Amino acid sequence: MSSLTPTARVILGMLKLGMRTGYDVKKAIDTSTRFFWTASYGQIYPELKRLRKAGLVRAEAKPRGRVKRTVYSLTPKGERALHEWLTDSENVLFELRDEGLLRLFFGDLISREEVLANLRVQQQLFKMVLARFREIEVDARGGFADESQRFPHLALRYGIDFITWSRDWYAEAERRLEAGEPLVELEDGETGGRKRGLAAR
Amino acid sequence: MSSLTPTARVILGMLKLGMRTGYDVKKAIDTSTRFFWTASYGQIYPELKRLRKAGLVRAEAKPRGRVKRTVYSLTPKGERALHEWLTDSENVLFELRDEGLLRLFFGDLISREEVLANLRVQQQLFKMVLARFREIEVDARGGFADESQRFPHLALRYGIDFITWSRDWYAEAERRLEAGEPLVELEDGETGGRKRGLAAR
DNA sequence: GAAGGCATGTAAATCGTTACATGATTTA
DNA sequence: TAAATCATGTAACGATTTACATGCCTTC
């Protein structure tokens, strides 16, 4: 099992992808993994120091003019730890915290109109997120999206596709609630009977 | 804006849905919102005490035999706070932490075979999650799924549909990587040109 | 009589955000 | 010359998990 802290995982990867300073790493996170893996300065700088003490990264003072600046890179030990984590399939962390869904869960406690309003607000939020994603996708041409770095783009695609799917799911839920149709379809049998999800198309 | 802590939100809702003890609330969370909203005993019991001090819930000692037992219910103030939160559209919390995606993001740092292995492991995990979800959906007949409580079932449906979608997305990514096809399709124009997501069907 | 479920709690550790502080360099 | 960006860091607070501790009641 990998013993890297959550923040260490993204730091080591970003350093390997060419980021050099803590500031760089933070910027890269904010423009790429932010949707599914965040980290703040309050995590990054202390973690870089821990990683240095543990011998996974080396630090070099590389001031730019009079500005102090520390450039980090992976040690062989850090390379090994990164590769080990990337190919380890135990306990893959997956956490979701979705307040919109929690509200939907409690939909029976408010009026139909209030639920409809919530469903519409959610769709608006998804549309705003999508707009931001699309900007990033265009910007990214200069950043990660060259031949040797296809996967950052693929992960971004997952984000766009997921939010699109989710927006459509909410739209369908709204439509059904408005039309007075059953919210969830009845099961067909256990086997083979491909269960049509609410937003299946 | 709602000032309820994350744990308070789910506790108040669960009490309103009929849960009575801290233990009940925990069990309800574990069998229903766990996928998108968790809470541990270490959160729930202290939070119940805070809510009582704040006057949002009342606590009655209702021992069962010799076992001490505290039964909670909402005060009018608690009802108001719950309703306010359920209909408040500011700052809707959405957080995702997905290690599988982070690994995919760093796919350029490992071999094609290793990426394929990761994609397959992810699909297996999704299938296991789906199996658990389906059990819950069947069990839930006795719990939430009566006429007056349709929305818990709908939220569960979202979970099932989402994981199903995600599994399919990973399957398509695997297929493309195996076939040597481009991982992300090129854009067609800005307008109207319905961008086909990787796993669109 | 053993196992599992009901029930309540705390302590320690970890994880993470937010707000603050500082100052140089580059660009408009 | 003002604003944005580069760059590093800390302190306080808040959220959360894990592990531990306890003991009764119900079902097999």
Side-chain angles (χ1 to χ4, degrees), chain B residues 26-37:
Chain B
K26 170 66 170 156
K27 213 179 28 163
I29 289 170
D30 285 346
T31 57
S32 57
T33 69
R34 177 154 131 278
F35 172 61
F36 54 90
W37 206 273

Side-chain angles (χ1 to χ4, degrees), chain A residues 85 88 99 103 158 166, chain B residues 85 88 97 99 103 158 166:
Chain A
W85 165 64
D88 165 33
E99 193 171 0
R103 286 215 180 104
Y158 180 95
S166 208
Chain B
W85 165 65
D88 165 34
R97 182 155 281 221
E99 192 170 359
R103 286 217 181 104
Y158 180 95
S166 208

Side-chain angles (χ1 to χ4, degrees), chain A residues 38 83 85-86 88 93 95 97 99 103 108 118 148-149 151 157-158 161 166 169 195 198, chain B residues 38 85-86 88 93 95 97 99 103-104 108 114 118 148-149 151 157-158 161 166 169 195 198:
Chain A
T38 58
H83 187 269
W85 165 64
L86 281 172
D88 165 33
L93 197 149
E95 279 170 24
R97 182 153 280 220
E99 193 171 0
R103 286 215 180 104
D108 297 297
N118 283 345
S148 67
Q149 296 189 358
F151 285 99
R157 257 285 130 204
Y158 180 95
D161 291 345
S166 208
W169 192 95
K195 216 181 287 177
L198 177 132
Chain B
T38 58
W85 165 65
L86 281 172
D88 165 34
L93 198 149
E95 280 171 23
R97 182 155 281 221
E99 192 170 359
R103 286 217 181 104
L104 187 62
D108 296 297
E114 285 166 332
N118 283 345
S148 67
Q149 295 190 358
F151 284 100
R157 255 287 132 203
Y158 180 95
D161 291 345
S166 208
W169 192 95
K195 216 182 284 176
L198 176 132

Side-chain angles (χ1 to χ4, degrees), chain B residues 8 10 36 45 47 49 54-55 86 147 154 157 167 179 183-184 196:
Chain B
V10 70
F36 54 90
Y45 285 112
E47 185 66 36
K49 288 184 177 174
L86 281 172
E147 264 308 287
L154 183 61
R157 255 287 132 203
R167 182 203 58 193
L183 291 179
V184 181
R196 285 175 50 84

